[in-house]
């Protein structure tokens, strides 16, 4: 457990030298090389992260990109029954704090990452490699680490100096859902079926509408267990206060 906790804590060190030093100290202390795990224990919270190849800005926010990526997360959240506590998509990476009661987080992550790569490439009219390497899966074992991870995700654009406050980040984020506790709906386009229908319709004069091959899915953001027992109004205030405090510390 110490090794897992250390791996999680290393993630929140902004300075590269400090991160490397802490990693070395932790490896010496626990006597193992620290590599990301693929754990299927349904009782554990996970922080999933992945970066683009060479950290190229492939997911730069726009209305189209936000809708596209939101649809992917919403579709596979529904399909795999994953609880998402925090989500932030930056131009070259994303972080997602999630819980998989069906022990299938790896399937969720693989599908999300595959579809982001395929669909953003199509949207950008490009081909080629998208992600730099496999995703990181950091286990969260303690409530204090869960809160730290939650706030790290929700203030990530501030952490990287992109905005002064999370509310100003134009990319896909669970920030407003965390404060308002309202679900959001996104569209997911079934391109394979759409293109097949267009091929079959050629020469027949029959039109094929893209909207007929789109489904709507709900992106639900769960309340972090630390805040779950608070009354709704106080819970929203506590979340806002925690985010504000974390922002001041950055």
């Amino acid at each position: 457990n110490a090794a897992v906790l250390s791996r999680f804590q290393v993630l929140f060190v902004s300075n590269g030298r400090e991160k490397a030093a802490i990693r070395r100290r932790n490896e010496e202390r626990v006597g193992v090389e620290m590599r990301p795990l693929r754990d299927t224990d349904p009782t554990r919270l996970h922080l999933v992260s992945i970066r683009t190849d060479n950290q190229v800005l492939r997911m730069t926010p726009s209305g189209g990109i936000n809708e596209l990526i939101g649809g992917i997360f919403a579709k596979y959240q529904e399909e795999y029954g994953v609880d998402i506590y925090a989500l932030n998509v930056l131009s070259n990476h994303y972080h997602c704090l999630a819980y998989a009661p069906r022990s299938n987080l790896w399937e969720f992550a693989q599908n999300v990452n595959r579809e982001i790569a395929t669909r953003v490439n199509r949207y950008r009219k490009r081909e080629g490699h998208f992600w730099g390497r496999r995703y990181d899966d950091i286990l969260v074992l303690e409530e204090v680490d869960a809160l730290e991870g939650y706030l790290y995700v929700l203030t990530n654009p501030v952490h990287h100096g992109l905005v002064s406050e999370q509310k100003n980040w134009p990319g896909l984020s669970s920030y407003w859902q965390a404060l308002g506790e309202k679900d959001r709906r996104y569209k997911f386009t079934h391109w394979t079926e759409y293109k097949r229908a267009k091929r079959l319709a050629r020469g027949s004069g029959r039109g094929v509408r893209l909207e007929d091959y789109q489904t709507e899915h709900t992106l639900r953001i769960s309340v972090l267990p630390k805040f779950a027992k608070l009354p709704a109004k106080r819970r929203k205030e506590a979340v806002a206060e925690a985010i504000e405090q974390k922002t001041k510390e950055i």
Side-chain angles (χ1 to χ4, degrees):
N1 288 357
V4 175
L5 284 171
S6 296
R7 268 190 290 273
F8 182 79
Q9 291 161 351
V10 164
L11 183 65
F12 306 108
V13 181
S14 59
N15 183 282
R17 292 180 181 177
E18 290 179 350
K19 181 186 290 186
I22 291 175
R23 183 180 296 274
R24 285 194 300 270
R25 288 197 299 271
N26 287 330
E27 287 177 353
E28 292 171 358
R29 179 166 58 83
V30 300
V32 297
E33 180 183 1
M34 293 167 54
R35 299 184 62 189
L37 302 179
R38 295 291 185 265
D39 188 285
T40 59
D41 186 336
T43 66
R44 291 180 174 178
L45 195 62
H46 295 248
L47 180 59
V48 174
S49 308
I50 191 169
R51 293 182 179 275
T52 56
D53 189 26
N54 292 318
Q55 300 195 44
V56 176
L57 308 182
R58 304 203 192 285
M59 299 183 292
T60 302
S62 70
I65 285 292
N66 294 353
E67 180 71 23
L68 186 157
I69 298 177
I72 293 169
F73 273 101
K75 179 183 186 297
Y76 290 107
Q77 179 190 40
E78 288 181 355
E79 186 169 328
Y80 291 104
V82 170
D83 295 334
I84 296 176
Y85 293 94
L87 172 67
N88 227 331
V89 179
L90 277 68
S91 299
N92 61 4
H93 69 281
Y94 76 73
H95 297 295
C96 178
L97 188 66
Y99 164 71
R102 302 180 194 169
S103 301
N104 57 0
L105 186 68
W106 65 274
E107 292 180 279
F108 167 79
Q110 283 186 354
N111 278 276
V112 165
N113 294 341
R114 182 196 66 241
E115 291 300 319
I116 289 177
T118 300
R119 291 165 183 265
V120 173
N121 271 349
R122 180 189 293 117
Y123 184 88
R124 301 291 190 199
K125 295 180 172 59
R126 69 174 298 275
E127 297 179 351
H129 205 51
F130 191 90
W131 300 118
R133 61 177 186 176
R134 73 173 190 164
Y135 66 92
D136 289 325
D137 179 1
I138 309 298
L139 296 179
V140 185
L141 301 181
E142 302 291 341
E143 184 176 273
V144 63
D145 289 324
L147 178 60
E148 187 175 14
Y150 178 81
L151 295 175
Y152 177 79
V153 173
L154 287 182
T155 60
N156 205 242
V158 180
H159 175 82
H160 288 285
L162 301 174
V163 289
S164 59
E165 296 180 88
Q166 172 60 39
K167 67 180 181 180
N168 297 325
W169 176 243
L172 179 67
S173 167
S174 64
Y175 172 76
W176 291 110
Q177 284 182 258
L179 295 182
E181 296 188 4
K182 293 182 179 180
D183 298 336
R184 290 193 61 180
R185 300 279 287 175
Y186 292 93
K187 291 181 180 179
F188 183 92
T189 302
H190 300 266
W191 288 106
T192 301
E193 292 79 2
Y194 173 66
K195 290 180 178 179
R196 182 184 299 118
K198 287 189 69 174
R199 287 196 302 270
L200 294 174
R202 286 174 187 167
S204 69
R206 180 172 58 88
V208 177
R209 303 189 312 166
L210 178 62
E211 53 264 37
D212 291 336
Y213 295 87
Q214 292 177 321
T215 50
E216 283 198 353
H217 303 272
T218 301
L219 181 62
R220 293 184 169 87
I221 302 301
S222 299
V223 176
L224 198 70
K226 176 180 176 61
F227 302 118
K229 294 182 180 180
L230 295 175
K233 182 179 179 180
R234 177 57 194 140
R235 182 167 61 237
K236 296 173 186 177
E237 293 173 346
V239 170
E241 290 167 2
I243 294 172
E244 182 179 2
Q245 180 58 40
K246 181 65 176 180
T247 300
K248 291 178 180 178
E249 295 172 1
I250 296 174

